[in-house]
Amino acid sequence: MNTTTDLHHTIIQPDGWTPPKGYANGVLASNGTLYVGGQIGWNAQQQFETQDFIGQMKQALRNILEVVQAAGGQASDIVRLTWYVTDKREYVARQREVGLAYREVLGKHFPAMALVGELHDADGALFYVTSWCITLQALGLMAMHVGV
């Protein structure tokens, strides 16, 4: 994991990921709360491997989980997900696949969630998700991050 620390927070950047430009993939605040930047369905090299909704959804969720894990957390630490989709009708029509894909990546952990439909396509992204995690310090994980 690549990190940058100042007096207030630590930037979380999973190993092997292309560095973001103008944003952070994760920020671990001094109180131990992890904020995960919005993730889309591209891989660690910022390339789309699929133009399929379910494929991009799974990759975006994997990206969220990888940031959480880089900060020392796990899927059950995620307390909120906000999903943005370019085609709400496809999301609704593929609910069974959505559920299967979700459980494949995050298991049977279901945080508070919201769906925002009809997001305008951003350079091929069909799915975009943001996340918040519980205060990792409360779980005794903060000590793992301070020295990183």
Side-chain angles (χ1 to χ4, degrees):
M1 167 184 56
N2 298 315
T3 61
T4 304
T5 305
D6 66 21
L7 296 177
H8 303 289
H9 57 269
T10 301
I11 303 300
I12 304 298
Q13 174 70 9
D15 288 334
W17 281 28
T18 298
K21 294 179 182 175
Y23 65 96
N25 283 302
V27 177
L28 184 62
S30 61
N31 69 359
T33 302
L34 176 65
Y35 298 90
V36 179
Q39 299 295 315
I40 58 177
W42 63 18
N43 62 23
Q45 289 71 47
Q46 299 177 353
Q47 298 171 344
F48 290 104
E49 295 178 358
T50 181
Q51 294 306 311
D52 175 66
F53 176 80
I54 298 298
Q56 285 195 18
M57 184 201 91
K58 284 171 60 173
Q59 183 62 55
L61 292 174
R62 281 189 206 107
N63 293 346
I64 292 272
L65 185 57
E66 198 164 332
V67 173
V68 170
Q69 290 171 334
Q74 57 192 3
S76 61
D77 295 324
I78 299 169
V79 296
R80 179 184 172 104
L81 292 171
T82 303
W83 301 36
Y84 300 85
V85 297
T86 57
D87 186 345
K88 185 177 176 187
R89 288 177 299 243
E90 182 174 13
Y91 170 85
V92 171
R94 299 182 74 182
Q95 279 292 286
R96 179 168 164 64
E97 293 171 88
V98 166
L100 290 171
Y102 178 93
R103 289 186 299 279
E104 181 181 322
V105 178
L106 296 178
K108 291 187 176 183
H109 171 67
F110 303 102
M113 290 190 222
L115 173 74
V116 179
E118 307 307 320
L119 179 72
H120 293 286
D121 188 344
D123 297 323
L126 302 174
F127 183 87
Y128 175 87
V129 63
T130 62
S131 171
W132 292 6
C133 293
I134 63 171
T135 302
L136 297 176
Q137 184 177 26
L139 300 174
L141 298 173
M142 187 60 181
M144 295 172 49
H145 309 296
V146 173
V148 176

